[in-house]
Amino acid sequence: MEKKKIQEKMMEAVRQVRETNPMAGSLTNYVTVNFVANAQLAVGGSAAMVYLPDEGEAIGLAGGATYINVGTLLPIHEESLPYTAKVLHEAGKPWVLDPVAVGIGDLRTKILKEMKPYKPSVIRGNASEIIALSKMWELESGNWKENHGRGVDSTAAVSEAESAAIALAKWTGGAVAVSGKEDLVTDGERIAISCGGSAFMEKVTGCGCSLGGVVAVYAAVTDPFTAALTATSIYNLAGSRAEKKAAGPGSFQMHFLDELYLASPEEVAENPWKLEMAAE
Amino acid sequence: MEKKKIQEKMMEAVRQVRETNPMAGSLTNYVTVNFVANAQLAVGGSAAMVYLPDEGEAIGLAGGATYINVGTLLPIHEESLPYTAKVLHEAGKPWVLDPVAVGIGDLRTKILKEMKPYKPSVIRGNASEIIALSKMWELESGNWKENHGRGVDSTAAVSEAESAAIALAKWTGGAVAVSGKEDLVTDGERIAISCGGSAFMEKVTGCGCSLGGVVAVYAAVTDPFTAALTATSIYNLAGSRAEKKAAGPGSFQMHFLDELYLASPEEVAENPWKLEMAAE
Amino acid sequence: MEKKKIQEKMMEAVRQVRETNPMAGSLTNYVTVNFVANAQLAVGGSAAMVYLPDEGEAIGLAGGATYINVGTLLPIHEESLPYTAKVLHEAGKPWVLDPVAVGIGDLRTKILKEMKPYKPSVIRGNASEIIALSKMWELESGNWKENHGRGVDSTAAVSEAESAAIALAKWTGGAVAVSGKEDLVTDGERIAISCGGSAFMEKVTGCGCSLGGVVAVYAAVTDPFTAALTATSIYNLAGSRAEKKAAGPGSFQMHFLDELYLASPEEVAENPWKLEMAAE
């Protein structure tokens, strides 16, 4: 059974990360960089955050996979982000793109357009971001400027982003993860819908970014689809468990990091998710 | 009764933020940016942090109000901060200025001087900062260079900053909030003194900055004076409640975010504060 | 007895920091800057973080000691970091260097090489970093490019870094602290081995950086060796206490900050450590 096979790969990924402690470097925003690193460490990975082009290259080539998030841009990112993506693509190294707030600002647009040929192994975003990126990269028709959500928040539902996610996955040959109430992960053919999580995840900044960082950790040891699904699944598991212990968003975040650390491979693989095949 | 009317507006502000989830963008420092965002989310707002001029403009115009904090400057801030303030002023959008560590460094001085004509809707700072800004903007006489406190800490008491706060509020036509053991909020005519809080608030970095961010959230739905007082009041309430549960500053911060999330409109309005009228 | 005398100085340092609240400014990385500030506040110090050259100078000269960490570099650091180090050295002000990820990127190398003549009062790093810096500064022979560990992680054991630590301490005339399972602190003659801590300290980003920030707080009131040992000791004490209360890395960090705040001078001085003399 296809689902059973995927679950075995998920368990193997969780186990292997805990055992081998793979390094996943990040070029990510300033708001949530600490949470990204702590989440990567909690699942068993190793983190290293950089901003300069030659450091992106060095960390990217030294690590098992790299996380690139366009959340809070500074002028140096004009050079660092596309350059690092190019280096990773040419070296055949997996990398994860988080197109945060696609549509806001000229530099963000320029950087994201430049990254298209470097085909990220996994793209993670909310529904508005995935829809906008698919249009910006001309994989779907429509005006991406009308689709960029509200600041960093999505104004679209996950289900609305399905065709955009499939189009992006077919372009990259990797996987796409759409975060929302239920999460969608696809490699363009298979679609996994993962359940769980918590409403508190929208009350703590960086649940999306840190998920992207954790995808990169798993992408260091497994294929893009399994990496994206394993990370999504451990997030939904940890989120629903943390919610039961939390009085508010402060205690939620603390318990959430604990639960990322405590989750067993079996629990991650068995956290509710269903498998579908994309329509032709 | 005037106080009763204000309390009704405070309750309405707390309620409306929870219901409408207004976006308040920020251009703020790197040290506490995560806490600012999490506090804004905890009270029910939405956060978006940017650094580039065109992104400040985009987020500023898209949001209900904007928070500008000069805490940790990089060269790009020379352009971003005054430009965003100008855009907001011209668009008639409320914005909150946090003149952190006014007096340290040439760029900080240049930026703060340039912002004077853009009249922030609310200025939030500690007593030393409010006194120094009022002198720098030549609303009171005296040498602001002698008044800038010690690093980011105040060396003056809140009561010493009363006339400076009133002068600033009269200049901007908005409100000023002075943080300290007791907090003072004024619109130049009314003076509210808000009580509560916790000594732990000085043991956790960013209690001041995140208060500024929360003022911006409320400023998206109400007038500057009510916004500043509501934010100050929910901070004092959450601070005193969190202190009762805390063993030290680590657990204090966690409980504090929880209490921001849990506070009811009535509790915020009724947290002890008194109303005075400014002397002519 | 030598150890007894050192313990008295450690207790005095803990006490004096709590009483006088010394300001220790930082030029530090973006990932852990919040944790650095909160740890400095928890032990009783005052924090102020800056990035620009003239602000580094102002905060450096205003503070009792300064913490410089090369963790996440931006172009402005090329000027800010060596300049601030030079100013501090010329003013005879204590400063702490954290050579994070020495060996990655050209700018990091340039900055670290330039700092050699400004003799940091304390150098704090993991074993790989201490070994690499000692070779980069040509105090020991060997190729530092082969020694830079893996990203921000050490690939060497603390004991392997003993001769490098001694060489660095002899060069600076200050102290060196090597962090690891057991921690080594030396002034080139005395070697203190400090025990305790927790495996969770590698699962929370910034335990090393914030230790450096806390060393700076103590360096504002005592000599470099005592400062480095006191900070190391309070970290090992708080780490082992926090571990007993923690379910995972999220709760560990919260309890850790609480325990930094709660530790008494006697407990810090008596947390297990042993004293040795360096071989000639």
Side-chain angles (χ1 to χ4, degrees), chain A:
Chain A
M1 243 185 71
E2 177 72 5
K3 186 172 173 185
K4 194 82 191 163
K5 271 188 211 160
I6 297 170
Q7 285 177 313
E8 268 158 32
K9 291 176 87 173
M10 292 167 77
M11 288 188 277
E12 181 54 26
V14 174
R15 231 176 264 126
Q16 213 177 321
V17 161
R18 294 244 169 82
E19 277 162 21
T20 65
N21 193 225
M23 207 256 280
S26 293
L27 291 84
T28 189
N29 72 68
Y30 299 100
V31 186
T32 64
V33 58
N34 185 269
F35 190 11
V36 172
N38 277 332
Q40 291 181 313
L41 298 181
V43 300
S46 169
M49 274 65 184
V50 294
Y51 298 100
L52 301 178
D54 70 330
E55 297 195 347
E57 178 173 13
I59 285 290
L61 295 179
T66 302
Y67 175 56
I68 298 185
N69 172 308
V70 301
T72 52
L73 299 176
L74 289 177
I76 188 70
H77 289 111
E78 179 166 6
E79 195 186 341
S80 298
L81 299 190
Y83 178 71
T84 303
K86 180 169 181 282
V87 165
L88 291 165
H89 177 67
E90 287 171 359
K93 288 268 189 180
W95 69 284
V96 178
L97 173 64
D98 211 329
V100 180
V102 42
I104 293 177
D106 292 339
L107 181 55
R108 200 178 301 256
T109 300
K110 179 172 185 291
I111 288 171
L112 286 171
K113 284 189 173 173
E114 274 181 54
M115 282 176 168
K116 184 185 173 192
Y118 308 135
K119 299 187 174 182
S121 318
V122 182
I123 300 169
R124 191 221 70 85
N126 64 39
S128 289
E129 289 159 353
I130 295 300
I131 293 168
L133 187 68
S134 144
K135 289 178 180 170
M136 179 189 276
W137 283 4
E138 301 177 346
L139 303 172
E140 292 201 312
S141 60
N143 184 352
W144 55 268
K145 294 184 183 177
E146 291 169 0
N147 268 89
H148 60 60
R150 197 189 62 150
V152 297
D153 298 335
S154 185
T155 52
V158 168
S159 58
E160 297 174 56
E162 183 177 304
S163 67
I166 291 171
L168 286 164
K170 289 195 187 221
W171 165 255
T172 61
V176 174
V178 192
S179 304
K181 204 166 150 46
E182 291 189 330
D183 304 303
L184 180 154
V185 177
T186 183
D187 60 2
E189 301 195 346
R190 295 172 295 179
I191 297 173
I193 306 292
S194 173
C195 306
S198 164
F200 277 132
M201 293 172 95
E202 291 183 15
K203 296 288 176 197
V204 174
T205 191
C207 285
C209 305
S210 62
L211 170 58
V214 168
V215 172
V217 169
Y218 289 121
V221 303
T222 191
D223 65 274
F225 178 77
T226 306
L229 181 56
T230 305
T232 300
S233 192
I234 199 171
Y235 260 58
N236 278 329
L237 176 70
S240 50
R241 287 186 170 174
E243 187 181 87
K244 290 189 189 116
K245 301 180 177 171
S251 47
F252 175 80
Q253 184 171 19
M254 179 193 78
H255 290 302
F256 180 72
L257 283 167
D258 284 356
E259 297 295 341
L260 285 183
Y261 174 80
L262 295 168
S264 77
E266 293 71 25
E267 291 167 336
V268 175
E270 283 163 21
N271 188 66
W273 64 278
K274 62 182 179 212
L275 186 63
E276 300 169 2
M277 300 307 286
E280 283 314 295

Side-chain angles (χ1 to χ4, degrees), chain B residues 3 6-7 10 180-185 191-197 228-241 244 264-276:
Chain B
K3 187 173 172 185
I6 297 170
Q7 286 177 313
M10 292 168 76
K181 206 168 150 41
E182 291 189 330
D183 305 302
L184 180 153
V185 177
I191 298 173
I193 306 293
S194 173
C195 307
L229 181 55
T230 305
T232 301
S233 193
I234 199 171
Y235 260 58
N236 279 329
L237 175 71
S240 51
R241 287 186 170 176
K244 289 188 190 120
S264 76
E266 292 71 25
E267 291 167 336
V268 175
E270 282 163 22
N271 189 66
W273 64 279
K274 61 181 180 213
L275 186 63
E276 299 168 2

Side-chain angles (χ1 to χ4, degrees), chain C residues 91-265:
Chain C
K93 287 267 187 180
W95 69 284
V96 178
L97 173 64
D98 211 328
V100 180
V102 42
I104 292 177
D106 292 339
L107 180 55
R108 200 177 303 254
T109 299
K110 180 173 184 290
I111 287 171
L112 286 171
K113 284 189 172 173
E114 273 181 55
M115 282 177 167
K116 185 185 174 190
Y118 309 135
K119 298 187 175 182
S121 318
V122 182
I123 300 170
R124 190 220 71 85
N126 64 38
S128 289
E129 289 160 352
I130 295 300
I131 293 167
L133 187 68
S134 142
K135 290 178 180 170
M136 178 189 275
W137 283 4
E138 299 176 346
L139 304 172
E140 292 201 312
S141 61
N143 183 351
W144 55 268
K145 294 186 184 177
E146 291 167 0
N147 268 89
H148 61 61
R150 196 189 61 150
V152 297
D153 298 335
S154 185
T155 52
V158 168
S159 58
E160 296 174 56
E162 183 177 304
S163 67
I166 290 170
L168 285 165
K170 291 197 186 217
W171 165 254
T172 61
V176 174
V178 191
S179 305
K181 204 167 151 44
E182 291 190 330
D183 304 303
L184 181 154
V185 177
T186 183
D187 60 2
E189 300 195 347
R190 297 171 293 179
I191 298 173
I193 306 292
S194 173
C195 306
S198 163
F200 278 131
M201 293 172 95
E202 291 183 14
K203 296 287 176 199
V204 175
T205 192
C207 286
C209 305
S210 62
L211 170 59
V214 168
V215 171
V217 168
Y218 290 121
V221 303
T222 191
D223 66 272
F225 178 77
T226 306
L229 182 55
T230 304
T232 300
S233 193
I234 199 171
Y235 259 59
N236 278 329
L237 175 71
S240 51
R241 286 185 171 177
E243 187 182 87
K244 289 188 190 118
K245 300 179 178 171
S251 47
F252 175 81
Q253 184 171 17
M254 179 192 77
H255 291 302
F256 180 73
L257 283 167
D258 283 356
E259 298 294 342
L260 285 182
Y261 174 81
L262 294 168
S264 77

